[in-house]
Every structure is written in structure tokens, then in C-alpha cells.
Amino acid sequence: MTSNTIPFLIAGPILRKATANQLVFWFVTREPLQGTFQLYKHGDDTAFYSGDLGECQSIRVGEHAVVTLAKFDSEFPTNTALNYEFNTQFGEVSQLIPDLLYDDEDRLSIVISDKADYILHGSCRNPHDPCLDALVAADNKVQTLAINDRPDLLMMSGDQIYADHVAGPMLDAIDQVIDLLGLPKEHFVDSPVSDCSELRAHPDFMYGRDKILPHYVDDGSLLTTFFPHRHAPIFTSKDCENHLITFSEFFAMYLLVWSPSLWSRVNQTRLLDQGFVSNGTQLEPKWQQKWREEREHLDKFVAGLVHTQRLLAHIPTYMIFDDHDVTDDWNLTIGWEKAAYENPFSKRIIGNALIAYWICQGWGNEPNNFNQEFLELANNYFTENCCESQDAFIQHLYSFERWHYTIHTSPKVVVLDTRTRRWRSESRMNKPSGLMDWEALIEFHQELMHQDKVIIVSAAPIFGVKFIEALQRIMTNLGHPLVVDAENWMAHPGSANTLLSIFTHTKTPTNFVILSGDVHYSFAYDIKLRFRKCSPNIFQITCSGLKNNFPEPLLGFCDHADRLLYSPRSILNFFTKRKRMKIQKRDPDMPGSRRLVNSSAIGELKLDAQGKPHRISILTASGQEIEFPPIQKRHQ
């Protein structure tokens, strides 16, 4: 396929940051951007601000793929309707992609809000999950709102891609995109395959990558006593048959989940008739059947991408990673870290995921977190495309400690890195690490000091479902934390007690709102300190997933068991680390007695002037709004 058949605008524009003094947009284009960015007062025909696209930071990722972070610094008007346009060498973006515009719009529209009173939030967007995509429902709702009534921001709190659970048709599309855009080739050390070409020719290239992925000698379990030198997989996801490996695969997947542009350029039918993958290997009948099922779900996802692209162009969108952006059980225990980072192949795979995360997600959250040394290492890798420069960049990413960031709105939004700065257990190699170490928690505490209200974004709920956490603790004590994904704040005594002490500190906010995802169900809690008259107001709000569900009837069982065993007056609460906290669970306004809502959805949060929730609700992917009303209203 020649370059002129590749769309000029491959992905974006995604509005990544919008403040009174900085606007940041993210693009992927076929060739370097040229032209101007123009900003208008709503309804005006004369731009009051213009920026040169040629001066923006850009990185050529592939022969026909250039990533641009268009950052504009000035004094911008806040809380007022604005329009913007990119005048490129191939014309205006709104003309190149008319579907970016809402009804009756001539240019794209935004509001630079200095508030965070209306937030959309969600996580866990699996393209081939059978449920619908909640980002489509969010876009449909935004279309009905007046510009000044739109959400202040969209917070995507993890698992923006599922690198460890990739559908066969998605992997095939990824493979085609790599060739289409001329994305980087790659060599491996101490791996079953020497380079990406050998990987693509391997008979286990599709639906067999669990055989290619690295293993280690498990010397920490009871089984090793009877079966020494037992080789165990490092990547433990039960669905890792198509686990992404190369940087190019990770990068291509981001393009395919955020934009419809490339889907019309890949051959989506080439495996349907004969069951052959691109390297000539024929799929087994069971994988052919799985392919057909995945393809049906993926087709519906692709049809909704025009809405995803439009939503992300109009609402400031912030992101943070969770495990599936890299791999399941990422840094869960020190034993896992030791196995993963001492193996050159797994270290490279994780590093590739981090490179892709930075260039597609992290860079746009807070561009000033990445200094000249960081950018030089990135440019060296993409320019030289050799093992040495790639490994040097990956090593720097492993030591990097500025993935977290703060959005300086009112209330302040503090986004936590709960993956790379772990509080490692010193007692057992397979005991879950704390989600943040002492230094990270102290930095977090400083962000909260002397604030009257704050929003905290934690990928995993800080106050989760106690019954589920009890099950995770039992499996951890049996030596199997990876089996149940024992990922919660209370799993590590040091981080749990330090975090709870932060909430009880007298100089921290009066109103805490915690936004989380990860768990594939939605709930809302009101939390107070026991035995204290002047308790801060703490609200734990979880919405998950954007396109994922929890297994039923298991969730129903856990919901009812939690209500039975851990009611606010239950004596079992005093045997948990949260015994200082009184947790009241909000009931959703839906039929039945469930408090855990199992539906793909996006969260909607509206706050009052004091930073307390005025409305907590979810918008399901089917368009239904479910509210979690205040507890006192329930008894009126």
C-alpha cells in the first residue's frame, strides 16, 4: 500500500490538557504537521490566538507515522465557549474529518474550565468484550448538552488498552498496521525468537503466544519442594494467547482503539474463509471459532470509534495506567518483579509497553514532567532504532518516578501512580506489594496539605468491597496472590496504615472524593472516621468498566455476602485495617437489592461548591442513567 492511501490524520486530535495557560493536543499523522492552530471565541470568525504547528514537539515513530504533542502556552479565557481549528498542509481538520463536529458546528468546540465540578470517569475498555462501549454513550450525551454544560474533564483511570488480552482479529489488524505505517523492527535477547520477523513467522504467532512468552524457575512455592525446577510463566494472564510483545504492536493497538481511520485500510476478512493467519499457518478449528466470535464483538466496537474520536477531541482527557496497559499482575509482588526484570525478554516486553504508554498517554498528561534528557533518550531510540538505544530508553523508564501528576482545578485533582512506586513486602516474595511506597505517600500527603477539597484518582479503589478483599487475603496467605489478582490498598500493612493516617490528619481536606475503576463493577460509599466528631467527608466512587463486566452470578454472591458480613454495625469491621472508618454503602436507584452494579458504564460526578458530591451516577453503555442517591434520601 502506498503512502498516499494512508489517511493524513491517523489518530486525534485528542485534547489532553486544557488550563488557563496551556493547551495540549495529541496527534498521529502520516507526515509531520505543518500549518497553524487557531482559537476563536464561540461565534466569532476571527481567531484571537494562533500557534505554529511546525514548532510543536514531534517524533517520527514509523515511516508513515509521526506523533505530535501540540502544546500552546498563553493566557487563555476560562469558563467560556471556544472553538478551535487546525489548518494543516492538507486542509482544516474539521474538513478532513467532518465526523469530529457535533451538530450545527463549523469548528470543534471546547471550554477551558478552571473547575472540576462535572467529571466523566471510567476505566477498563476491552475492545472485544461482548458488552457495549460506554464512550459511545458519553459522546451521545455530550452532543445533547450546551457547550458550557459539558463535563469539565474526562478521567480515564487505567486499562485504556488490554495488552495481555488481545482478540485474534485485533492482533491481525495490528500486524497489518505495522506494515502499513512502517513501524520499527525489533531484535530480542535470550528469547525463543530473535527478532520481530521471526516472531511473525512463528507457528504460535496467533493464539499461541503463551508458549513464546518468558518463563522462570519457580522456587517460592510448595510445589517446588516436590517438583524442583518447575518452569512457571512470568505473564500470568489466563488470556495471554495473543499478548503484545513488540513496541510496534503496543503502539498500533492504541491507534486502533482511539480512531476509526486505519480500520478501513486493513483487510478485515482475510482469515474468515480459509482460517489462515498472515504467515501461512492454519488456525485450529477451536481458534477459528473463537476468531468469528471475537470478530463479531470487535465489529461493533469499531463502528463506535467515530464517537470515541469525537468525544476525545472536545473534552479534556487525562489518563493513568493500570495493569492491563502493560500486563496482568504488573509489579504485584516482589517475586514477580524479580522474575520479570531479571529476564531480558520480559524486561523488554514491559519496557515496550512503557514506551507506548509514554508516547500515547503519559506525555500528554503533564508534558513538563519529561525533561530534555528524557526526550533525548526517546528521540535516540526512534531515530537509531537499535537494541542499545531501545534498552537505554527502557532503563530510564524503569527508574522514572514522575508518572503521577496534579490537575490544578478547583477542587485540585491528584492522580496517583499505583504501579511503579510500590511498597515491597519484606516478609515473603509472593506477598502483595503496597500500591505506593513511603516516599510516594509522603509526596501525596504534601499535595493535600491545606486544601479544603480534593479529588483523588486511584486506579484501584482505596475503600473496596471487604468480602472480596477477604477472599484475596485468604488466597495470599495460601501463597497464591496472582490467582485472585490480590490488588488492593489494604493488602500491605505499611501502605494501608500510612494512607489511612493521611485521611485522619488535621491539615488535610475536609472533603475527599476518590475516583477509581479496575474492578469491573460500580459502587459508591460515604465514609467517616469513627469516634471523632469533626470527621472529614470521604466519598469512594468506583465506575468500571467502560467496556467490561464482572462474571455473574459471582458478583451477586459477593455483593450479598458483603452486605451480610460487613454491615456498618458488624463486629467483623473491627478485624480489618479500616476499623477506624465507618463505611456506608449507597444503594443505586434500580430494581433489586444490589449495591454493586454490573454494567459497562462511564461515571458521572457533579460536585457542589464545597467539593461534596451533588450527584453520583453512571451512564451505562446502553444509555441508561443510574444514580447513587445520598443515604439520607433513601430513608425519607
Side-chain angles (χ1 to χ4, degrees):
M1 185 175 288
T2 59
S3 64
N4 60 5
T5 63
I6 302 170
F8 170 68
L9 188 60
I10 295 170
I14 299 179
L15 175 57
R16 293 304 324 276
K17 183 179 179 182
T19 68
N21 50 34
Q22 191 173 77
L23 283 173
V24 178
F25 295 86
W26 182 88
F27 283 94
V28 180
T29 52
R30 185 183 65 219
E31 53 195 81
L33 268 174
Q34 298 175 22
T36 60
F37 165 76
Q38 293 183 317
L39 196 62
Y40 303 79
K41 295 285 182 66
H42 186 60
D44 288 356
D45 290 326
T46 303
F48 69 87
Y49 175 84
S50 182
D52 186 356
L53 296 178
E55 296 179 357
C56 297
Q57 292 177 308
S58 64
I59 294 178
R60 182 177 286 279
V61 174
E63 184 180 356
H64 305 301
V66 178
V67 176
T68 298
L69 199 71
K71 181 164 66 76
F72 307 105
D73 297 317
S74 185
E75 295 298 322
F76 299 113
T78 59
N79 307 318
T80 186
L82 303 172
N83 293 101
Y84 74 89
E85 186 61 86
F86 288 92
N87 297 299
T88 75
Q89 64 266 44
F90 292 97
E92 296 179 344
V93 162
S94 61
Q95 299 301 312
L96 294 173
I97 308 181
D99 287 336
L100 286 173
L101 300 175
Y102 286 116
D103 292 344
D104 302 323
E105 282 189 341
D106 296 321
R107 301 186 183 97
L108 291 95
S109 53
I110 59 170
V111 172
I112 303 172
S113 179
D114 60 7
K115 305 183 297 297
D117 292 342
Y118 180 14
I119 295 178
L120 296 178
H121 64 102
S123 69
C124 307
R125 187 165 172 254
N126 185 349
H128 68 276
D129 191 90
C131 61
L132 299 174
D133 186 356
L135 287 185
V136 175
D139 178 68
N140 287 330
K141 179 165 185 175
V142 168
Q143 179 174 237
T144 67
L145 301 175
I147 297 176
N148 287 307
D149 294 334
R150 292 176 185 170
D152 298 309
L153 61 93
L154 165 62
M155 175 55 63
M156 301 179 75
S157 58
D159 300 342
Q160 278 65 259
I161 64 169
Y162 272 69
D164 54 353
H165 187 193
V166 182
M170 173 65 84
L171 183 59
D172 186 52
I174 287 169
D175 191 46
Q176 294 181 63
V177 166
I178 291 172
D179 285 341
L180 180 67
L181 302 182
L183 298 181
K185 307 297 182 183
E186 190 168 339
H187 291 80
F188 305 107
V189 177
D190 294 338
S191 160
V193 291
S194 61
D195 56 28
C196 58
S197 297
E198 191 172 328
L199 171 64
R200 297 173 79 175
H202 199 283
D204 293 317
F205 171 75
M206 186 169 293
Y207 293 123
R209 292 190 173 198
D210 49 325
K211 304 179 186 68
I212 301 174
L213 293 172
H215 288 61
Y216 72 106
V217 176
D218 182 359
D219 57 0
S221 70
L222 185 63
L223 282 174
T224 308
T225 306
F226 304 101
F227 303 101
H229 308 300
R230 184 175 70 95
H231 287 265
I234 293 174
F235 298 131
T236 58
S237 171
K238 65 181 184 298
D239 300 301
C240 62
E241 301 94 352
N242 290 330
H243 198 300
L244 302 183
I245 291 176
T246 69
F247 161 76
S248 295
E249 289 177 343
F250 282 96
F251 179 72
M253 186 168 190
Y254 279 108
L255 304 182
L256 291 168
V257 301
W258 284 345
S259 172
S261 298
L262 292 176
W263 281 102
S264 61
R265 271 72 176 182
V266 300
N267 181 355
Q268 299 179 57
T269 63
R270 66 179 185 174
L271 293 188
L272 287 182
D273 297 328
Q274 294 83 21
F276 286 92
V277 297
S278 55
N279 63 10
T281 304
Q282 188 170 24
L283 296 178
E284 297 177 19
K286 67 172 182 177
W287 297 125
Q288 293 185 37
Q289 178 59 33
K290 185 170 186 177
W291 174 286
R292 295 185 186 96
E293 294 169 358
E294 292 173 336
R295 176 62 193 280
E296 181 181 348
H297 302 312
L298 197 59
D299 283 347
K300 296 176 182 177
F301 172 80
V302 172
L305 285 175
V306 63
H307 293 278
T308 299
Q309 188 178 30
R310 184 170 66 174
L311 178 70
L312 301 185
H314 288 81
I315 305 297
T317 302
Y318 298 85
M319 308 177 188
I320 191 65
F321 46 46
D322 202 13
D323 52 350
H324 296 291
D325 294 286
V326 177
T327 189
D328 196 22
D329 300 323
W330 179 31
N331 295 343
L332 180 61
T333 68
I334 189 173
W336 188 94
E337 289 189 55
K338 186 175 186 298
Y341 300 133
E342 290 182 357
N343 182 295
F345 191 31
S346 58
K347 185 176 181 180
R348 171 66 68 80
I349 295 170
I350 298 165
N352 286 336
L354 283 173
I355 296 173
Y357 170 78
W358 168 69
I359 202 165
C360 295
Q361 296 195 59
W363 195 10
N365 289 324
E366 182 48 81
N368 294 335
N369 280 357
F370 306 98
N371 60 19
Q372 192 59 36
E373 178 190 7
F374 190 107
L375 295 174
E376 285 178 1
L377 286 166
N379 276 305
N380 288 344
Y381 161 56
F382 288 110
T383 302
E384 298 173 8
N385 190 24
C386 64
C387 283
E388 290 76 14
S389 59
Q390 186 172 5
D391 290 339
F393 188 28
I394 288 173
Q395 192 59 46
H396 188 75
L397 290 169
Y398 279 141
S399 62
F400 185 71
E401 294 189 342
R402 290 293 299 172
W403 296 117
H404 60 285
Y405 58 96
T406 297
I407 308 171
H408 295 283
T409 49
S410 177
K412 176 191 285 189
V413 181
V414 181
V415 184
L416 304 181
D417 167 8
T418 60
R419 280 290 162 184
T420 72
R421 301 181 68 183
R422 293 283 182 131
W423 192 326
R424 295 170 180 86
S425 174
E426 297 179 358
S427 59
R428 295 205 312 270
M429 296 285 284
N430 63 347
K431 187 175 181 180
S433 299
L435 300 192
M436 290 170 65
D437 62 19
W438 170 263
E439 291 80 6
L441 284 167
I442 294 304
E443 290 177 21
F444 168 52
H445 191 196
Q446 292 303 310
E447 285 285 348
L448 304 180
M449 295 289 283
H450 309 295
Q451 301 289 317
D452 60 341
K453 53 187 177 181
V454 70
I455 298 170
I456 301 164
V457 179
S458 167
I462 291 178
F463 300 95
V465 178
K466 290 182 181 179
F467 178 74
I468 294 176
E469 291 180 356
L471 293 178
Q472 292 173 329
R473 186 164 60 252
I474 291 170
M475 293 303 296
T476 296
N477 291 335
L478 292 173
H480 300 287
L482 303 182
V483 172
V484 292
D485 196 18
E487 203 99 52
N488 64 77
W489 278 93
M490 301 301 126
H492 185 279
S495 62
N497 291 327
T498 304
L499 180 70
L500 294 175
S501 295
I502 289 173
F503 287 116
T504 61
H505 196 281
T506 56
K507 294 183 180 179
T508 47
T510 303
N511 293 309
F512 290 90
V513 173
I514 305 162
L515 299 181
S516 300
D518 179 53
V519 292
H520 301 175
Y521 48 84
S522 302
F523 63 90
Y525 293 164
D526 293 0
I527 302 155
K528 294 275 192 178
L529 301 181
R530 296 181 188 270
F531 320 118
R532 190 163 127 183
K533 290 183 179 179
C534 299
S535 168
N537 302 303
I538 305 171
F539 305 92
Q540 168 72 66
I541 304 166
T542 300
C543 181
S544 179
L546 289 169
K547 197 175 188 296
N548 222 325
N549 283 325
F550 198 92
E552 289 287 5
L554 178 59
L555 185 64
F557 169 75
C558 292
D559 191 350
H560 291 295
D562 186 71
R563 295 183 64 167
L564 176 67
L565 298 175
Y566 292 99
S567 67
R569 295 181 177 85
S570 171
I571 194 172
L572 291 179
N573 291 309
F574 292 93
F575 295 95
T576 69
K577 296 183 181 69
R578 292 176 287 188
K579 53 184 172 288
R580 289 178 282 172
M581 305 287 182
K582 181 180 180 181
I583 298 176
Q584 293 184 295
K585 305 160 187 176
R586 294 195 179 199
D587 289 325
D589 61 350
M590 56 184 287
S593 59
R594 295 276 290 264
R595 286 176 176 157
L596 305 179
V597 180
N598 194 10
S599 175
S600 59
I602 189 165
E604 289 191 274
L605 170 66
K606 294 184 178 181
L607 303 177
D608 63 18
Q610 288 72 47
K612 297 175 67 174
H614 170 66
R615 187 173 191 265
I616 299 172
S617 62
I618 61 174
L619 174 65
T620 70
S622 61
Q624 179 187 8
E625 293 192 11
I626 300 174
E627 186 177 357
F628 294 85
I631 291 171
Q632 59 269 26
K633 283 189 177 181
R634 193 174 70 209
H635 302 292
Q636 291 178 353

